[in-house]
Amino acid sequence: MFPLQHLWARTGVFTVLLSPLSLLFAVVSGLRRLAYRRGWLASRAAGVPVIVVGNITAGGSGKTPLTIWLVNWLRSQGYYPGVISRGYGGTARGCVEVEVDSPAAEVGDEPLLIRFKTAVPVVVGRDRVAAARMLLERHPEIDVLVSDDGLQHYRLQRTIELAVVDAASGLGNGWPLPAGPLREPRRRLEQVDAVVQVVRGATLLRTDLPVASWRVDFSAGSAYRLGDPRETRPLHALPQQDWLAATGIGRPQGFFDMLQAAGIRFTPRAFPDHHAFRPQDLPADGAVVMTEKDAVKCLSFAGHQWWALQLDVAPEPRFIDWLSARIEQELPSRVRREMQDEQF
């Protein structure tokens, strides 16, 4: 995925060579959207409001950290959220509920991280309608579903669509897959409820998007030792030594930039997105720093000096105000539940 991000950043020979396949992809995906819009293919309601956090580009735009923030924010507001995800990279067949000790190889690294960071019920499955059904059957207290990714999974009806765009890379060269990063045309952003731009460090907001957007800042939080996650330190307080910065995420440069900004001396090593880490990939006796998405796959064999960097996610206040007002309109169940609780 890392080399593709460079190729997708501009139009070149690579783009021209793959343009026939991109045209075919655009036609097929367009027909599929039309089929759902016209009702030729049926969509299904989950029974509770559904918030989709997705994007129109391939690669890491920041969906999962925003999903984690959203779920924890919903809990702080008194809701009972659950999460559904495809479980990309996992081997699970059908629908599987994610536990804190589930193998990442089975359920996928991102759903496992969401479960670890939120403690809410999470179910993975290629069929998100079936995943939603399982989640609600097992956890009837859930009053809102959050779909990690799934913007293009039109079979599941949604109440609110949040599209995430990485401010550094934007929409790349603007071409559909595989010549570019687009899963859907850029005008799709005009149809979602809100577009959020993920900003890392000194990156500027993009002004070339077809719609206005909200700002969400990602910054380096504290780090914890994989062998004992209760041991945390500010990133700048890690020992002054040469670190191996290893990561298997869609946009590794953002991670490396955070380390550099904190004054960490490191050697970067980027693996493919969703890489299934093995003990031989990293030095057991070395000083290693990684993202939390990588860490959930390394807990069982982590060396003593392996640390995971947490992300601080900070949406702009106006976005939170908008989201709060919108959800209050869509989730009257919380009000009814509070009234019932007061009666008892």
Side-chain angles (χ1 to χ4, degrees):
M1 183 62 70
F2 188 40
L4 283 178
Q5 301 298 339
H6 291 283
L7 293 172
W8 285 340
R10 59 188 62 84
T11 299
V13 175
F14 173 82
T15 311
V16 175
L17 291 175
L18 292 179
S19 58
L21 292 177
S22 289
L23 177 60
L24 178 62
F25 176 86
V27 170
V28 172
S29 60
L31 289 174
R32 180 173 173 274
R33 289 191 300 274
L34 178 64
Y36 277 104
R37 189 163 60 247
R38 295 291 179 86
W40 301 333
L41 293 177
S43 60
R44 297 285 185 266
V48 299
V50 175
I51 304 175
V52 173
V53 182
N55 62 8
I56 65 169
T57 57
S61 61
K63 298 184 304 297
T64 299
L66 184 64
T67 297
I68 292 170
W69 174 87
L70 175 61
V71 169
N72 285 327
W73 180 82
L74 286 168
R75 292 183 66 194
S76 74
Q77 302 302 301
Y79 299 107
Y80 296 82
V83 178
I84 55 175
S85 175
R86 177 187 173 187
Y88 185 84
T91 60
R93 294 293 179 264
C95 297
V96 175
E97 182 164 2
V98 180
E99 305 293 346
V100 291
D101 57 351
S102 294
E106 178 187 8
V107 301
D109 47 17
E110 291 168 344
L112 184 58
L113 178 60
I114 293 170
R115 179 69 175 82
F116 180 75
K117 297 289 288 185
T118 66
V120 305
V122 179
V123 168
V124 299
R126 293 178 181 271
D127 183 347
R128 287 179 177 81
V129 174
R133 186 178 299 118
M134 171 185 282
L135 192 61
L136 293 173
E137 287 176 352
R138 294 189 176 187
H139 303 277
E141 73 279 5
I142 290 174
D143 55 15
V144 55
L145 286 179
V146 178
S147 177
D148 178 41
D149 210 348
L151 195 62
Q152 291 77 36
H153 196 91
Y154 292 108
R155 186 164 175 265
L156 177 66
Q157 294 179 13
R158 65 284 313 270
T159 312
I160 299 174
E161 289 184 327
L162 305 179
V164 185
V165 177
D166 182 82
S169 56
L171 304 181
N173 59 15
W175 280 74
L177 291 165
L182 293 187
R183 299 174 174 179
E184 297 186 280
R186 56 186 285 125
R187 64 177 177 275
R188 176 70 171 88
L189 294 179
E190 301 172 4
Q191 302 165 358
V192 303
D193 295 278
V195 176
V196 297
Q197 287 197 56
V198 169
V199 178
R200 297 174 175 88
T203 303
L204 299 176
L205 282 174
R206 303 196 72 88
T207 59
D208 57 351
L209 300 181
V211 293
S213 60
W214 307 100
R215 177 185 182 122
V216 178
D217 284 280
F218 284 10
S219 59
S222 59
Y224 60 83
R225 193 164 62 83
L226 270 65
D228 184 2
R230 295 170 299 179
E231 182 180 346
T232 63
R233 298 183 188 181
L235 180 58
H236 63 80
L238 289 179
Q240 293 297 312
Q241 57 187 326
D242 293 324
W243 292 83
L244 174 63
T247 184
I249 59 177
R251 304 186 190 279
Q253 192 57 48
F255 172 60
F256 299 146
D257 289 344
M258 288 181 181
L259 298 179
Q260 187 172 20
I264 303 296
R265 300 197 312 269
F266 66 93
T267 300
R269 186 175 179 189
F271 292 83
D273 194 14
H274 301 285
H275 177 69
F277 282 93
R278 302 166 299 172
Q280 58 266 35
D281 288 333
L282 303 170
D285 56 351
V288 180
V289 60
M290 61 185 64
T291 72
E292 289 190 282
K293 176 180 167 180
D294 304 306
V296 295
K297 293 175 284 190
C298 300
L299 292 173
S300 63
F301 54 84
H304 181 70
Q305 282 299 318
W306 291 17
W307 291 73
L309 175 63
Q310 300 183 85
L311 270 180
D312 286 340
V313 178
E316 63 171 290
R318 293 184 304 149
F319 172 69
I320 298 176
D321 292 341
W322 171 85
L323 185 62
S324 180
R326 180 64 189 274
I327 291 178
E328 285 288 349
Q329 296 174 358
E330 304 292 350
L331 295 176
S333 60
R334 181 175 73 103
V335 177
R336 292 198 300 269
R337 179 175 288 134
E338 288 176 346
M339 294 176 62
Q340 292 170 354
D341 290 344
E342 291 175 358
Q343 292 174 359
F344 290 98

